[in-house]
Amino acid sequence: MDEYPYPLFFEATDFTDREKEKVRRYFQKRRDSGGGDCGNLEKLGGSVYKICFKEKEDQERVLQRKFHTITLPSGEVRLTVSRTSSPQTSDQPSTSQSLSSRNPNIKGLEKTFMIDVFLLFFLRDNSKAYKFFEKQLSSIGCTVELNFDEEEVLVRGEVDKGPGGGFGGAAEKWECQVDRVFIRLTETYLCYHVLEPKLVKMVLQDPSFKTDDIKYYTESGYAVVVGEVDAMKEKIAVLEKSRPTKKEVPIVEKKFKLIEEEFNREMHANCPDVTIIRGTAMITLEGPDTEVQSGAAKLDELIKNVKEKRVKFPTALLTFMKTSDAIPKYQTHFQQSLRNPVFFEVGSDLVLSSLSSDALNMAEAAVMRDLKVTTVQLQGAIDLNRLKEILTKAKNEANSRELRVDVSYMPGASGTGTTKVQLVGYSEDVAKLNEVLHDFQLNQVSTQETINLLHPEIVDCIDKILDLIGVKQTKVSLQASHFPNPCVIVSGPRCHVQEAKEALTSTLSSLIVDTLTLDGPGAQQYFQEEGKVTKELIESSCYVIIQEKQTAATPNVQRPRNTSRLSDTPRSLSYSSSMYSTAGNSAINRTNLKIKISSLENEQVDVLVVPMLNKQLTSTNIGKSLLSKAGNILKFNFDSVLASCAIAPGDVQLVDAPPSLGCSKIFFIECLPWDGVRGKSVQALGNGLKRCLELCAQQNLGSVAIPIIGPGIVLKYPLREAIQVLTDIIHRFGLSASSGSLTNIHIVIKPGYPDSEACYHDVYKQLSLNMNQGGQAIFRSLTTDLDDIIIKVGSTVKLHVVFGDISNETTDAVVNTTSFESFNLDGVCNDFSTLAGPQVAAKVNQGEIFVTQSGNFPSKAILHVHGKQDEVLIEQLVCDIICYCESHKYNSVAIPAMCAGAGGLDPAIVARAIFRGIKSSASFMNSLTDIRLVLINIDVFLTFKEEAMQMYSSAVINRVLPVLPVQVQQQQPPPSVSAYLSSLHINSTSQQSVFTFLGLSKEDVDNAMGKLKHQYQTQCSSNTFSKEELEPLSQDDMMELKELVESEGLFMQTDQSGTLTVSGLKDGVTRVMQKMSQCQFMALAREVRVREEEDLYLRVVWCILAHNGNWERLPRTANHQLERDDLTKGITDAQGLTWEVNLHRMVATRSLNRQTTKLKRLENLPDFTFPLYWDSMAASENMTVIPLESSSAEYRTVTKVFKRTVAKTVMKIERLQNVHLRRAYEAQKKHISDKNAREGGAGEKLLYHGTTQENCNSIMKTGFNRRFAGQNATSYGRGTYFAVNANYSAHPGYSKPAADGSQLMFVARVLTGVYTQGRHDMKVPPPRSPQQPHDRYDSVVDRIDNPSMYVVFHDNQAYPDYLITFK
């Protein structure tokens, strides 16, 4: 059906779509047109348009107006509407017409309105309403006439001729005024039709519907109420509320049955007008709303009174109740006998429902009393068919009139062979069938008895024993079993079982059991194969049974059955690395070191190490932090332990940690304030730290956290000295080979302090140097919280988050972030400015990238940006940077934390902005494969790392562990022969063959044991190997011998003199002798190879470039393979990694991941060993200068330390290789190291020495010359001066700038040894004691506590390692 069925038509010129919509909205507004809800405007053809209304009343109101004037963008348009689409003219109105008048200047008009007839009745009956309506028309000069037959209102009026002499404008105005009066009339009053008879009756009976303001009128079957809109709304609400309602109430059938009678009674009495309709699980109530709601509430109340009881019954009994007539029988019985009926329902349980708890209890008791289930287990073997026949007959008799009892049969537990019979039904009938079953079992059932055995061996040979003692077939069966204990089970009829048990128990208890043990596990194998017939003859002749006994330690020996000789072909010339292991090898690679950026109180370890002063918990900031977190429990524990004990500096006191801390124990070290390098404070701290680590090992503690103790406001240690003490103690602990279960040592550095970064770098440097000793790794790993992480972005891009200095980066593009206002003052910006040139000083607009040449900077371009502390701008800049790199085909870019440093923006905001920019650009990255976020501040790095973990899935994040320099393991002397022999772990039990003998008499058993032993001994031989024969063998050889002895089933023993005796079957002993000869030959060949490798190792050094950029020496075997070009199987480095080698390119490639690295060959001089980091030199060369590649790790390491204190740009770094100077330096180093063996050795340090271009070449060729002392300063003696920090030596007074502004500085290796305070008049260091005037200090310093300057007086005591050119 059409949604808008009432059309109107009009003529108009063509409308645009916009004008059509405006016309539609005009007819939609009742206030403007009298219309309402209408459809879209349609053009029928020509100039005729149609618009349709949803309601007829809206159509009629629109027709009541002759003209409709609408303002459109093109001007006003005047429309005349009609019911039909036929054209109309202005002089043929459809609803109004002109009247003739005698006065030519006055024209009479009239207009007819079709309105609801009931509204006409209302105007007729309500004089007030009619007078008001008439008054409104009179005010515009009109009269009104009501026509009830035509259901219309006729309005008449007159208009004067207008200024132009026409009536058109006045007539139109008159018609609009009349329309407005009628619109107000229809909006003021409402006609409401009441159709339902009940509501019609209510209207007729209710006097409030017949008042001055409200009238009602009746027609056939319905009524119409008319009145003002507001009053009518109230009456309509009353009628709507009285309209009959319907409500559906879900019910449970069983519960409704219990309350149905009472519910019907209540409804009849209190809600007589409500109709109750019964449905499936549903009650429908129809009638007056109040009564329906009342009835629903009553129904709910009654149902809630129903009580329910769930009774657990066996499943079989529930099944019986369903299949029998028990339920209806009980239900009928309880309805008759109980005041309140009980409803029964059987499901997984028996459910009883009633309005009375007493009725429920009585019903439950009756069912429990009347019904029963019984299960009877049948024992032994019975005639089950016969039993079923008897029980079926008894059941049928009981069930002759109704189902009273049922029988079922169930198998017993798995493997028992028993059967269960289940009886279910009425109690009296179940009892009768149970009695029948009991009688049957007494007369028919079989039984079994158990005979426990004294000797478990009898179980496995019971059949042989029965034959031996002559047991005949009887009506019982015999079965031997080990479970639950060694026994024989006798089964059969009851009378026969008892008789057989008594006879067999007596015989088995009289058996004689004994064992024979023969050396060598091969004896059992022999008597199972070659000697099997002999063993059977002994059994039959001596009337015994012989069993081979397998012990828990005895292997199942499988000897080779062929008798051919072992191959004489020697094995390949190889040796096991275990030959060179030391007794301390067990401690290697056990303990992990980790540098933690954290607070000590937050560490999750077994032990915390805490300093204290004068036995006071809060004497240090660390102690105060612990107390703040742990509370008074810690103070109580601390005071309890330390209150009464005496304690000296360096002592350690153990205190139990409270649960609020993440540890179990706290070790407090009694410390002293700083009193100099050789003072008691250093000794006390070192002893305390050493004791803490020893206690961890002794008490089997797995982890410990140690802070940097000393550089606080209380103890006042110089930071470098505090670090030196801690790292030295950790190094010595690693060498002690007594780490026990201690697997993790955490060195804790608290972030947020001005020296946190410097502290981290120094700790990491010292620990890195201490990872090896004597060519051997002493710790498993060194990791830090600042290790790089790599995040996989897309399929090809790696995002590196790096803790470092961006000026050390060698990527294709490097990003510099600056405000461009203080460009030359900022450290990083100064580097970029110096290297790239003055053109970078141009003004850069915020949010744009300014690209400059890189100059001497090791990149292709420098990208300058200004983020202006705006995260949206930073994100966009990252996208722009990546776009620029892609457009120029760059593979890598380094980006700093824009605006997170001097910019002052929250690092977390910066991190999120940068990560978002990278993520959004991932889809178009093709050339770019490496993005490095380089962060120089610890807090910034940790923030970026945390944000990365949150933003990216852990599946795409890899942590990059640092690769530490691992030196080649030195060859150790082979273990002694006694060590080899002890490593064989000879177990006497595993070398024996045990036989069990069973017989009827001791004489028979002894005779058989003697014969078996003699037979075996005739097949055996033995051989003894002397200590001298065993000495050339490796541990691998000895293990191979042991395996051969075990496989042959031989017996092996050693004595204190170092000899080894092997005995057993002759063929096996012969094979061992052949194997020994072969091993001796291989040992001789191996010895020749080792001597050759050792000789080559002293002369030639082959090195491999490690992942961290350091050169590592290859082991002896790899060194020999490379020199001899024996590379078929590749080489193995010191970490055990295998590499393929291309000697022509000097490149090694990993076999697994195809990673490549460089190789290098150095050839030592007879009196000089080349340092590993040097490049090779010709034999005739004494000195060469090697420029370092800016991309090398060596370059970055030197630059990193230099830039800690110098905010200038490194132009180049050169390594100085002077053989004469280095040879003299190493000799002096050995001299000082030997002299100070108990006081710290040579004390080698990397220090700085500023120089000029004039002095530079002289120092490189002849070294530092103290005769030139005094050129710059002699404040602490007339020697050569070296600075701890590079910024001192960078002063123009020491490093004089050249014409181009560049400066020079040496990084020197200096032997500081034992030092003292310097004075300006010193020409040599002072004596260490007056008693020994020739034993002088090795160097002097500017101050004893935390020196910043060292002075040496021996030219060979310093070596110029690197020359840095900076600007």
Side-chain angles (χ1 to χ4, degrees):
M1 185 176 179
D2 192 352
E3 186 178 0
Y4 301 100
Y6 303 105
L8 289 177
F9 305 88
F10 60 85
E11 293 185 10
T13 58
D14 289 341
F15 290 136
T16 65
D17 290 342
R18 184 178 177 187
E19 289 173 335
K20 287 180 182 180
E21 179 59 24
K22 191 154 188 178
V23 171
R24 188 188 73 82
R25 286 201 298 269
Y26 168 80
F27 284 115
Q28 197 175 36
K29 295 180 181 177
R30 177 179 292 188
R31 191 180 349 172
D32 294 343
S33 64
D37 190 5
C38 60
N40 293 325
L41 195 64
E42 300 179 44
K43 186 173 183 181
L44 301 181
S47 59
V48 178
Y49 285 87
K50 178 177 77 170
I51 188 160
C52 299
F53 293 89
K54 191 170 186 178
E55 302 294 338
K56 182 172 179 61
E57 291 80 359
D58 299 335
Q59 179 198 40
E60 293 299 334
R61 283 195 298 272
V62 173
L63 280 171
Q64 288 173 3
R65 299 187 186 184
K66 180 176 181 182
F67 302 111
H68 292 269
T69 304
I70 307 171
T71 303
L72 299 177
S74 58
E76 285 190 349
V77 61
R78 184 178 179 190
L79 304 178
T80 302
V81 297
S82 168
R83 295 182 187 273
T84 65
S85 59
S86 58
Q88 295 182 359
T89 59
S90 59
D91 59 350
Q92 293 178 328
S94 61
T95 59
S96 64
Q97 61 183 15
S98 300
L99 301 175
S100 60
S101 175
R102 295 176 182 176
N103 188 342
N105 293 324
I106 296 175
K107 183 178 182 179
L109 297 175
E110 67 178 24
K111 186 169 184 178
T112 302
F113 291 91
M114 304 295 293
I115 65 174
D116 194 315
V117 68
F118 296 104
L119 183 54
L120 287 177
F121 293 155
F122 181 79
L123 292 173
R124 180 195 65 191
D125 299 335
N126 191 324
S127 58
K128 178 182 175 182
Y130 182 76
K131 288 178 180 180
F132 180 74
F133 174 56
E134 193 175 40
K135 182 179 180 182
Q136 286 182 310
L137 290 173
S138 298
S139 66
I140 57 174
C142 297
T143 61
V144 61
E145 179 182 332
L146 305 180
N147 188 337
F148 294 96
D149 294 332
E150 299 296 332
E151 299 182 8
E152 63 184 18
V153 177
L154 179 64
V155 179
R156 294 187 179 89
E158 294 179 342
V159 294
D160 296 330
K161 188 179 291 186
F167 296 99
E172 181 180 349
K173 180 179 179 182
W174 177 85
E175 186 171 0
C176 287
Q177 290 174 329
V178 173
D179 287 346
R180 281 197 289 271
V181 171
F182 272 84
I183 289 174
R184 282 197 293 271
L185 175 67
T186 56
E187 289 178 349
T188 303
Y189 299 99
L190 177 64
C191 298
Y192 181 74
H193 290 65
V194 182
L195 303 177
E196 296 182 17
K198 288 185 178 180
L199 296 182
V200 172
K201 182 179 179 181
M202 178 179 174
V203 169
L204 298 178
Q205 293 177 352
D206 190 345
S208 64
F209 285 95
K210 190 76 170 178
T211 64
D212 292 340
D213 297 326
I214 297 177
K215 306 293 182 181
Y216 70 83
Y217 305 94
T218 59
E219 288 289 336
S220 56
Y222 70 95
V224 179
V225 183
V226 186
E228 291 186 4
V229 172
D230 292 338
M232 284 299 296
K233 284 182 179 178
E234 294 180 7
K235 295 302 178 182
I236 291 172
V238 171
L239 291 174
E240 289 295 332
K241 191 173 182 181
S242 300
R243 190 183 300 276
T245 61
K246 178 190 293 187
K247 183 167 186 177
E248 293 181 341
V249 182
I251 60 168
V252 178
E253 289 289 344
K254 64 176 183 179
K255 292 186 177 181
F256 184 73
K257 286 181 180 179
L258 292 171
I259 56 96
E260 184 175 11
E261 184 178 344
E262 184 176 354
F263 174 67
N264 289 335
R265 187 168 54 250
E266 289 282 343
M267 293 299 291
H268 181 73
N270 301 317
C271 306
D273 294 333
V274 175
T275 302
I276 302 173
I277 303 172
R278 176 80 176 270
T280 304
M282 185 73 67
I283 295 294
T284 303
L285 304 178
E286 289 186 2
D289 183 68
T290 54
E291 292 189 15
V292 167
Q293 298 302 328
S294 174
K298 188 62 180 179
L299 178 59
D300 183 61
E301 177 188 344
L302 291 174
I303 288 179
K304 285 182 179 178
N305 289 334
V306 175
K307 296 174 176 57
E308 190 174 275
K309 190 164 190 178
R310 189 173 292 272
V311 183
K312 293 286 185 182
F313 270 106
T315 304
L317 201 52
L318 293 172
T319 303
F320 176 80
M321 294 174 70
K322 291 178 183 178
T323 56
S324 67
D325 296 331
I327 294 176
K329 183 188 294 185
Y330 276 115
Q331 204 134 313
T332 302
H333 171 70
F334 291 138
Q335 284 178 352
Q336 295 172 354
S337 62
L338 299 178
R339 182 176 180 183
N340 290 284
V342 178
F343 185 83
F344 279 69
E345 184 181 14
V346 177
S348 58
D349 296 322
L350 173 62
V351 181
L352 305 176
S353 304
S354 178
L355 293 172
S356 167
S357 298
D358 292 339
L360 289 177
N361 293 334
M362 292 175 65
E364 179 188 7
V367 174
M368 297 289 285
R369 179 185 67 245
D370 294 345
L371 298 176
K372 185 176 183 181
V373 61
T374 299
T375 302
V376 180
Q377 183 164 315
L378 304 180
Q379 299 293 336
I382 63 170
D383 187 348
L384 187 59
N385 292 330
R386 175 60 180 160
L387 174 61
K388 289 183 177 180
E389 181 182 340
I390 294 172
L391 287 179
T392 301
K393 182 180 178 181
K395 182 185 76 169
N396 291 338
E397 290 177 359
N399 296 337
S400 59
R401 300 181 64 180
E402 62 174 334
L403 181 59
R404 301 284 299 178
V405 68
D406 199 6
V407 182
S408 59
Y409 303 89
M410 299 175 291
S414 178
T416 61
T418 59
T419 300
K420 294 180 180 179
V421 179
Q422 187 177 71
L423 309 175
V424 58
Y426 291 97
S427 299
E428 56 181 317
D429 298 286
V430 169
K432 290 178 182 178
L433 262 67
N434 193 18
E435 187 176 347
V436 173
L437 181 59
H438 177 69
D439 291 342
F440 178 84
Q441 285 200 98
L442 287 178
N443 298 322
Q444 302 292 328
V445 74
S446 298
T447 187
Q448 69 178 25
E449 294 285 349
T450 300
I451 304 173
N452 291 324
L453 301 176
L454 296 176
H455 305 290
E457 297 85 353
I458 296 176
V459 173
D460 297 323
C461 56
I462 187 65
D463 293 335
K464 291 183 178 181
I465 291 176
L466 294 177
D467 290 339
L468 185 66
I469 61 178
V471 174
K472 299 178 181 179
Q473 287 288 341
T474 65
K475 294 182 180 181
V476 298
S477 63
L478 304 175
Q479 183 180 3
S481 175
H482 285 284
F483 304 101
N485 52 274
C487 62
V488 175
I489 300 171
V490 186
S491 304
R494 188 185 303 273
C495 57
H496 298 295
V497 166
Q498 196 61 37
E499 181 183 347
K501 178 183 178 183
E502 292 175 0
L504 198 56
T505 301
S506 174
T507 304
L508 293 177
S509 61
S510 65
L511 281 176
I512 303 299
V513 180
D514 205 348
T515 58
L516 172 66
T517 302
L518 299 176
D519 291 337
Q524 287 190 357
Q525 186 74 20
Y526 170 75
F527 284 113
Q528 289 170 0
E529 297 177 0
E530 295 97 326
K532 182 178 181 180
V533 175
T534 302
K535 187 191 78 167
E536 291 174 350
L537 287 173
I538 295 173
E539 284 181 314
S540 60
S541 64
C542 297
Y543 300 103
V544 296
I545 299 169
I546 304 174
Q547 294 285 108
E548 293 89 357
K549 185 177 182 181
Q550 291 285 343
T551 63
T554 302
N556 187 11
V557 178
Q558 296 292 332
R559 294 187 292 120
R561 299 283 23 107
N562 64 75
T563 57
S564 60
R565 290 176 54 83
L566 293 174
S567 172
D568 293 330
T569 305
R571 300 183 311 229
S572 60
L573 294 176
S574 62
Y575 57 85
S576 169
S577 60
S578 60
M579 288 178 59
Y580 306 104
S581 62
T582 65
N585 209 25
S586 62
I588 295 174
N589 292 336
R590 175 173 297 173
T591 305
N592 301 294
L593 305 181
K594 182 164 188 177
I595 304 175
K596 298 279 288 181
I597 308 300
S598 175
S599 297
L600 186 69
E601 64 269 18
N602 295 328
E603 284 297 294
Q604 301 291 319
V605 290
D606 293 332
V607 179
L608 299 180
V609 176
V610 180
M612 63 178 177
L613 195 63
N614 299 323
K615 295 169 52 178
Q616 296 298 314
L617 172 60
T618 57
S619 56
T620 64
N621 285 335
I622 297 175
K624 293 175 182 176
S625 298
L626 280 179
L627 181 61
S628 175
K629 181 170 184 179
N632 291 331
I633 299 178
L634 174 60
K635 180 169 176 53
F636 176 79
N637 294 349
F638 182 88
D639 293 342
S640 300
V641 173
L642 280 89
S644 58
C645 66
I647 196 167
D651 287 350
V652 176
Q653 200 63 49
L654 281 67
V655 175
D656 290 334
S660 55
L661 295 177
C663 62
S664 59
K665 296 185 181 298
I666 305 174
F667 292 174
F668 286 92
I669 303 176
E670 178 67 17
C671 297
L672 290 173
W674 172 254
D675 59 356
V677 176
R678 287 179 299 280
K680 293 182 179 180
S681 59
V682 172
Q683 184 178 2
L685 178 58
N687 289 340
L689 291 170
K690 177 174 177 287
R691 180 61 179 154
C692 287
L693 294 176
E694 289 173 348
L695 285 171
C696 289
Q698 292 168 9
Q699 298 190 12
N700 292 321
L701 297 168
S703 55
V704 60
I706 310 174
I708 307 299
I709 298 176
I713 59 175
V714 177
L715 301 181
K716 299 181 180 178
Y717 277 58
L719 177 61
R720 188 162 294 177
E721 297 300 333
I723 294 171
Q724 189 70 45
V725 173
L726 175 60
T727 54
D728 281 352
I729 294 301
I730 293 175
H731 181 218
R732 293 176 193 173
F733 177 75
L735 293 174
S736 67
S738 61
S739 61
S741 61
L742 186 58
T743 56
N744 292 289
I745 299 177
H746 292 182
I747 298 89
V748 181
I749 298 173
K750 190 166 186 176
Y753 286 95
D755 57 0
S756 294
E757 281 80 8
C759 180
Y760 167 79
H761 289 301
D762 282 347
V763 170
Y764 185 81
K765 175 184 175 184
Q766 293 298 326
L767 292 177
S768 300
L769 294 173
N770 291 337
M771 290 297 289
N772 305 282
Q773 178 72 21
Q776 184 169 287
I778 59 175
F779 294 107
R780 177 180 295 173
S781 66
L782 171 60
T783 58
T784 83
D785 283 347
L786 303 182
D787 293 340
D788 300 352
I789 61 172
I790 298 179
I791 304 166
K792 190 174 181 182
V793 180
S795 57
T796 59
V797 182
K798 291 182 178 178
L799 171 60
H800 303 250
V801 182
V802 181
F803 176 64
D805 187 343
I806 198 168
S807 64
N808 293 330
E809 291 297 306
T810 59
T811 49
D812 291 345
V814 178
V815 176
N816 171 37
T817 175
T818 176
S819 66
F820 290 91
E821 295 174 359
S822 57
F823 192 86
N824 292 316
L825 300 179
D826 181 86
V828 175
C829 292
N830 192 20
D831 284 347
F832 290 129
S833 175
T834 303
L835 292 173
Q839 65 268 34
V840 300
K843 182 72 174 178
V844 175
N845 295 327
Q846 296 168 5
E848 295 182 359
I849 302 174
F850 177 62
V851 183
T852 67
Q853 298 178 353
S854 59
N856 292 329
F857 206 87
S859 65
K860 295 179 182 178
I862 301 175
L863 281 60
H864 306 275
V865 298
H866 181 9
K868 197 196 173 183
Q869 299 182 337
D870 184 339
E871 62 175 309
V872 176
L873 194 61
I874 293 172
E875 181 178 345
Q876 185 58 49
L877 279 172
V878 172
C879 296
D880 294 343
I881 290 166
I882 293 173
C883 285
Y884 182 88
C885 293
E886 281 292 323
S887 64
H888 288 74
K889 304 297 183 184
Y890 290 161
N891 300 126
S892 55
V893 62
I895 304 174
M898 297 186 234
C899 301
L905 194 58
D906 184 353
I909 295 176
V910 176
R912 289 193 289 270
I914 292 177
F915 287 140
R916 286 196 302 269
I918 294 171
K919 263 193 170 182
S920 62
S921 305
S923 59
F924 59 81
M925 283 190 268
N926 296 312
S927 302
L928 200 60
T929 56
D930 285 285
I931 302 174
R932 295 174 61 82
L933 302 183
V934 186
L935 314 164
I936 198 168
N937 180 274
I938 287 178
D939 289 335
V940 174
F941 175 85
L942 293 176
T943 301
F944 268 68
K945 186 175 179 180
E946 181 180 355
E947 292 296 330
M949 295 298 182
Q950 293 179 1
M951 185 167 289
Y952 293 94
S953 166
S954 59
V956 301
I957 299 179
N958 292 314
R959 185 161 167 262
V960 181
L961 299 179
V963 181
L964 301 171
V966 180
Q967 299 179 17
V968 181
Q969 292 188 359
Q970 300 298 317
Q971 180 173 344
Q972 304 296 328
S976 64
V977 173
S978 59
Y980 281 151
L981 294 178
S982 65
S983 71
L984 296 180
H985 302 295
I986 299 171
N987 187 328
S988 59
T989 304
S990 66
Q991 296 195 93
Q992 295 175 342
S993 294
V994 180
F995 297 86
T996 301
F997 290 74
L998 298 94
L1000 298 176
S1001 70
K1002 189 174 187 309
E1003 182 181 354
D1004 291 340
V1005 170
D1006 291 342
N1007 187 22
M1009 290 171 62
K1011 288 181 178 181
L1012 192 75
K1013 183 176 182 180
H1014 173 74
Q1015 179 64 25
Y1016 177 66
Q1017 288 175 345
T1018 59
Q1019 303 297 319
C1020 293
S1021 67
S1022 66
N1023 190 74
T1024 300
F1025 302 100
S1026 66
K1027 179 180 180 181
E1028 290 73 19
E1029 291 177 290
L1030 297 173
E1031 279 181 342
L1033 272 61
S1034 69
Q1035 188 172 8
D1036 284 350
D1037 292 334
M1038 294 297 290
M1039 295 308 296
E1040 288 183 15
L1041 277 175
K1042 180 186 177 185
E1043 291 172 3
L1044 180 59
V1045 167
E1046 291 176 347
S1047 67
E1048 292 290 340
L1050 304 178
F1051 181 77
M1052 180 168 58
Q1053 63 184 144
T1054 61
D1055 61 19
Q1056 294 181 349
S1057 65
T1059 64
L1060 174 66
T1061 300
V1062 178
S1063 59
L1065 294 172
K1066 295 175 183 178
D1067 289 346
V1069 173
T1070 301
R1071 290 189 182 90
V1072 172
M1073 293 171 65
Q1074 293 171 348
K1075 183 68 175 178
M1076 176 65 76
S1077 299
Q1078 189 184 68
C1079 290
Q1080 289 172 340
F1081 171 78
M1082 296 299 295
L1084 180 61
R1086 191 162 52 242
E1087 184 179 348
V1088 172
R1089 170 70 177 263
V1090 169
R1091 282 201 299 268
E1092 182 181 341
E1093 289 181 358
E1094 186 65 32
D1095 178 64
L1096 181 66
Y1097 200 70
L1098 296 174
R1099 294 183 292 104
V1100 177
V1101 178
W1102 279 90
C1103 303
I1104 189 168
L1105 188 63
H1107 177 74
N1108 62 353
N1110 294 326
W1111 287 98
E1112 297 179 359
R1113 188 168 189 185
L1114 288 166
R1116 288 170 175 75
T1117 300
N1119 197 71
H1120 186 271
Q1121 288 176 275
L1122 287 164
E1123 192 67 15
R1124 297 292 183 263
D1125 196 9
D1126 179 15
L1127 303 171
T1128 306
K1129 297 181 179 179
I1131 62 171
T1132 302
D1133 64 12
Q1135 283 80 36
L1137 303 178
T1138 302
W1139 301 82
E1140 300 171 5
V1141 174
N1142 185 328
L1143 277 181
H1144 178 71
R1145 295 172 52 215
M1146 293 294 279
V1147 170
T1149 305
R1150 281 285 304 279
S1151 302
L1152 295 177
N1153 59 11
R1154 310 311 295 170
Q1155 170 193 348
T1156 61
T1157 190
K1158 296 179 181 179
L1159 295 172
K1160 178 172 69 176
R1161 181 184 183 275
L1162 301 173
E1163 189 165 353
N1164 294 330
L1165 301 176
D1167 59 346
F1168 180 71
T1169 301
F1170 277 78
L1172 294 185
Y1173 63 94
W1174 277 22
D1175 287 4
S1176 60
M1177 298 171 62
S1180 59
E1181 273 189 297
N1182 288 321
M1183 190 194 85
T1184 185
V1185 178
I1186 307 295
L1188 299 185
E1189 294 287 342
S1190 60
S1191 60
S1192 68
E1194 187 177 5
Y1195 182 97
R1196 289 199 298 268
T1197 300
V1198 176
T1199 303
K1200 188 175 185 178
V1201 181
F1202 172 82
K1203 289 179 71 63
R1204 281 190 210 160
T1205 57
V1206 179
K1208 297 185 179 182
T1209 302
V1210 175
M1211 310 295 289
K1212 65 177 178 178
I1213 301 175
E1214 299 165 291
R1215 187 196 317 120
L1216 312 179
Q1217 297 185 186
N1218 189 316
V1219 174
H1220 292 320
L1221 292 181
R1222 189 61 180 252
R1223 182 191 292 118
Y1225 172 80
E1226 294 294 340
Q1228 185 68 11
K1229 180 178 178 180
K1230 186 176 186 309
H1231 167 70
I1232 296 176
S1233 181
D1234 293 344
K1235 181 178 68 128
N1236 300 333
R1238 296 184 178 181
E1239 297 172 284
E1244 184 181 61
K1245 300 182 186 299
L1246 289 174
L1247 303 174
Y1248 297 95
H1249 183 88
T1251 187
T1252 63
Q1253 190 65 48
E1254 294 77 14
N1255 294 337
C1256 177
N1257 291 332
S1258 173
I1259 293 174
M1260 287 194 295
K1261 292 178 181 178
T1262 63
F1264 298 104
N1265 195 330
R1266 65 187 183 284
R1267 286 178 294 178
F1268 294 103
Q1271 287 187 354
N1272 291 321
T1274 58
S1275 301
Y1276 306 106
R1278 300 184 64 80
T1280 306
Y1281 284 68
F1282 297 92
V1284 172
N1285 295 318
N1287 61 343
Y1288 186 92
S1289 300
H1291 191 278
Y1294 307 122
S1295 177
K1296 183 178 179 182
D1300 62 352
S1302 63
Q1303 296 174 265
L1304 299 174
M1305 182 188 302
F1306 282 106
V1307 179
R1309 293 180 180 271
V1310 183
L1311 305 173
T1312 62
V1314 180
Y1315 53 82
T1316 188
Q1317 179 69 46
R1319 297 195 308 275
H1320 70 92
D1321 58 345
M1322 287 182 177
K1323 295 183 179 180
V1324 294
R1328 294 169 68 173
S1329 70
Q1331 290 76 20
Q1332 295 178 315
H1334 299 294
D1335 182 16
R1336 297 180 178 274
Y1337 286 97
D1338 302 300
S1339 62
V1340 298
V1341 296
D1342 56 344
R1343 58 178 181 270
I1344 292 296
D1345 56 333
N1346 198 20
S1348 62
M1349 185 71 65
Y1350 289 84
V1351 185
V1352 297
F1353 299 87
H1354 195 292
D1355 293 344
N1356 294 335
Q1357 211 166 324
Y1359 174 77
D1361 215 8
Y1362 299 97
L1363 178 64
I1364 302 176
T1365 304
F1366 60 98
K1367 188 175 180 180

